Amino acid sequence: MSELLPLPVVVPLLGAALTLLLPRWPRAQRTVSVVALGTNLVVASLLLVRAYRVGPVVTQVGGWPAPVGIVLVADQLAALMVLVSSAVTLCVLLYSIGQGRSETGESAPVSIFHPTYLVLTAGITNAFLAGDLFNLFVGFEILLAASFVLITLGGTATRIRTGSTYVVVNVLSSMIFLAGVGLVYAATGTLNMAQLAGRLDALPDGVRLGLQLMLLLAFGIKAAVFPLSAWLPDSYPTAPAPVTAVFAGLLTKVGVYAIIRTETLLFPGGEVAGLLMVVAALTMIVGVLGAVAQSDMKRLFSFTLVSHIGYMIFGVALSTTAALSGAIFYVVHHITIQTTLFLVAGLVEERAGSTDLRRLGGLARVAPLLAVLFFVPAMNLAGIPPFSGFLGKVGLLQAGVATGGPLAWVLVAAGTVTSLLTLYAASRVWNIAFWRAPQAGTAEALTRLPTLMVGATAALVVLGLALTVVAGPLFRVTADAAVDLRQRTPYVRAVLPGGPP
């Protein structure tokens, strides 16, 4: 099985190279892209089954043994993230093909979109599978380099302006991350995370805390936690719908994944638990208040994206097995649901010509299927029973109650308020855009939607519902992953069978 581990990184890169050679054959480019991402989905499924039944899957790249060489590791957490990201990127790719912009529109020229999108996918999977800090940095840089291209596709003034903000902020976070990597190596002599798990414990408390805060700052910018999230609502809504959807669903979650991995494997003990609790509560509340104030669907969803990152940091801050399990479950849920909502926003824009709530109305009557595609994930995001959003939030809130203490109760209260305000924001979109009478000029703007766009969105809606149906087995996987994260030994022994040198 270890021979399969590099494939989720290598196959998209090979696909990107091949699509670059086929700029005049859009059908061939589409085929290569779909086959590459379909292969990722199959391989990720096999890796998750193996990691769940046997333990972490490890491969030494180039035959150089750890900790000298580059190591890829698929434990239950990493394999689950690769599986979910593969499913989402495949659906978004099909959506973009259906939209037609990847062939004819200026928003996403085919010769640029497909290879760049595949490089983005390779960067995401490399970050999830990285077994050392520098390879994690490389994964971030691969996906960020691709995202810089995708966010400015079309070259409009608005996209260039907001894309510039995105580039500057992420380059800054990368510089902080790289400086942190250098300092970690200077302090410990290694960047292999399994080896760091032992060596960082031996550092003086002040040095260890400084390194932890530096990495947290870098990952916090990438994850868009408050107060490092101001860039996101201005950057994401201006990109083409498929780009916005995959950014919203996955890029911030790579930052969250990095926080989960480093806080459990490298810096256990909860030295910054209080800080993370405050950050989680403020991220939830400030983000959802921003969502309530918006009159554009894309900006509203961008603020809910920021807000619900707070739930994931909630679980990391508590750091109990139940809290980590709830956080991992919520990451899986949110990747699926947030991506779906941005795809729905793209459908609304395609159907009615705008996502501005002041210009919308009557969509439930003229496009009932579109109304269903919005309503189901919106209620799921708000945490209405029995959807997966409700189950994930209940798991986190129960962990907060079990932990106790003033800050834990503040988190429980903030999580409850955020859920209610998310329901209010989603209901407001429903009432204005879908339920009220059509606005003047709306009927004339309506166009029919491509079947593939609707089908890809519907597939993600079904996947979101499937998370509810399989919530029991999924919680068992996340609980086992949380146990392994807290114990650390399964990961370390898989990478370094002979023990840390």
Side-chain angles (χ1 to χ4, degrees):
M1 187 63 68
S2 61
E3 290 79 7
L4 297 178
L5 190 50
L7 292 183
V9 180
V10 173
V11 170
L13 289 177
L14 292 177
L18 186 56
T19 54
L20 277 175
L21 300 176
L22 302 169
R24 298 183 181 180
W25 293 276
R27 181 173 296 181
Q29 282 197 322
R30 293 198 304 267
T31 301
V32 170
S33 298
V34 171
V35 169
L37 297 187
T39 301
N40 268 20
L41 184 60
V42 173
V43 173
S45 302
L46 295 174
L47 290 175
L48 179 58
V49 171
R50 177 61 182 268
Y52 179 71
R53 291 180 176 177
V54 180
V57 183
V58 179
T59 188
Q60 316 289 346
V61 178
W64 292 90
V68 177
I70 296 173
V71 61
L72 300 178
V73 186
D75 61 354
Q76 293 183 67
L77 172 60
L80 182 60
M81 292 299 100
V82 173
L83 176 60
V84 176
S85 65
S86 298
V88 166
T89 51
L90 179 58
C91 287
V92 174
L93 175 67
L94 295 174
Y95 179 99
S96 71
I97 293 172
Q99 192 177 40
R101 290 183 178 176
S102 57
E103 291 130 329
T104 58
E106 65 175 2
S107 298
V110 66
S111 59
I112 297 175
F113 178 80
H114 283 283
T116 309
Y117 188 80
L118 290 174
V119 170
L120 178 81
T121 303
I124 292 170
T125 52
N126 185 70
F128 287 145
L129 297 174
D132 64 83
L133 281 181
F134 188 75
N135 197 30
L136 177 61
F137 172 78
V138 170
F140 272 116
E141 293 312 294
I142 292 173
L143 71 89
L144 287 175
S147 69
F148 296 160
V149 177
L150 291 172
I151 202 169
T152 55
L153 283 177
T156 64
T158 301
R159 287 179 185 171
I160 296 297
R161 184 180 66 254
T162 58
S164 298
T165 302
Y166 174 84
V167 169
V168 169
V169 170
N170 280 280
V171 166
L172 175 62
S173 69
S174 294
M175 291 174 62
I176 296 172
F177 185 13
L178 185 59
V181 168
L183 291 174
V184 168
Y185 186 78
T188 63
T190 184
L191 293 175
N192 181 278
M193 286 195 275
Q195 194 173 21
L196 283 172
R199 293 194 178 183
L200 284 170
D201 291 341
L203 293 179
D205 291 343
V207 174
R208 187 171 181 271
L209 180 60
L211 295 175
Q212 182 179 11
L213 290 175
M214 196 164 191
L215 292 178
L216 267 179
L217 177 61
F219 298 147
I221 296 174
K222 296 180 185 298
V225 300
F226 182 85
L228 308 172
S229 57
W231 60 271
L232 190 149
D234 290 329
S235 300
Y236 282 11
T238 60
V243 175
T244 303
V246 78
F247 280 21
L250 287 172
L251 296 199
T252 52
K253 307 311 181 302
V254 178
V256 172
Y257 169 84
I259 292 174
I260 294 174
R261 178 68 71 192
T262 55
E263 287 301 301
T264 55
L265 181 61
L266 305 186
F267 303 103
E271 288 87 349
V272 297
L275 173 63
L276 288 176
M277 289 183 186
V278 173
V279 166
L282 290 174
T283 302
M284 285 189 282
I285 295 299
V286 174
V288 79
L289 289 177
V292 168
Q294 300 307 307
S295 60
D296 181 88
M297 288 180 66
K298 288 184 179 180
R299 283 187 61 82
L300 187 150
F301 293 153
S302 296
F303 276 100
T304 61
L305 166 61
V306 171
S307 176
H308 287 246
I309 294 295
Y311 283 104
M312 305 163 208
I313 305 302
F314 180 160
V316 178
L318 296 181
S319 197
T320 63
T321 300
L324 287 172
S325 175
I328 297 168
F329 184 94
Y330 205 82
V331 169
V332 173
H333 149 81
H334 198 256
I335 288 173
T336 307
I337 299 306
Q338 196 71 56
T339 303
T340 307
L341 286 172
F342 274 101
L343 292 185
V344 171
L347 291 176
V348 170
E349 188 171 30
E350 194 84 11
R351 188 78 165 87
S354 176
T355 55
D356 190 336
L357 296 178
R358 293 166 294 189
R359 299 175 58 186
L360 298 174
L363 289 176
R365 179 174 61 82
V366 298
L369 179 57
L370 180 56
V372 173
L373 293 179
F374 166 78
F375 184 81
V376 174
M379 294 301 101
N380 201 336
L381 184 70
I384 299 299
F387 293 126
S388 58
F390 170 77
L391 300 175
K393 288 172 184 173
V394 167
L396 288 168
L397 295 179
Q398 287 179 336
V401 171
T403 300
L407 285 177
W409 281 105
V410 168
L411 277 176
V412 170
T416 304
V417 170
T418 299
S419 186
L420 293 173
L421 289 177
T422 302
L423 177 60
Y424 169 77
S427 301
R428 182 166 167 266
V429 174
W430 172 261
N431 289 333
I432 295 175
F434 292 90
W435 199 249
R436 74 173 178 180
Q439 299 302 290
T442 301
E444 291 77 5
L446 293 176
T447 59
R448 296 189 62 83
L449 294 171
T451 302
L452 193 54
M453 289 176 66
V454 176
T457 308
L460 281 180
V461 172
V462 171
L463 179 58
L465 292 174
L467 294 180
T468 303
V469 176
V470 301
L474 181 56
F475 261 118
R476 285 196 291 273
V477 173
T478 62
D480 284 352
V483 170
D484 288 350
L485 286 173
R486 297 194 71 217
Q487 289 180 346
R488 301 197 293 172
T489 50
Y491 187 99
V492 174
R493 288 175 180 171
V495 177
L496 303 170

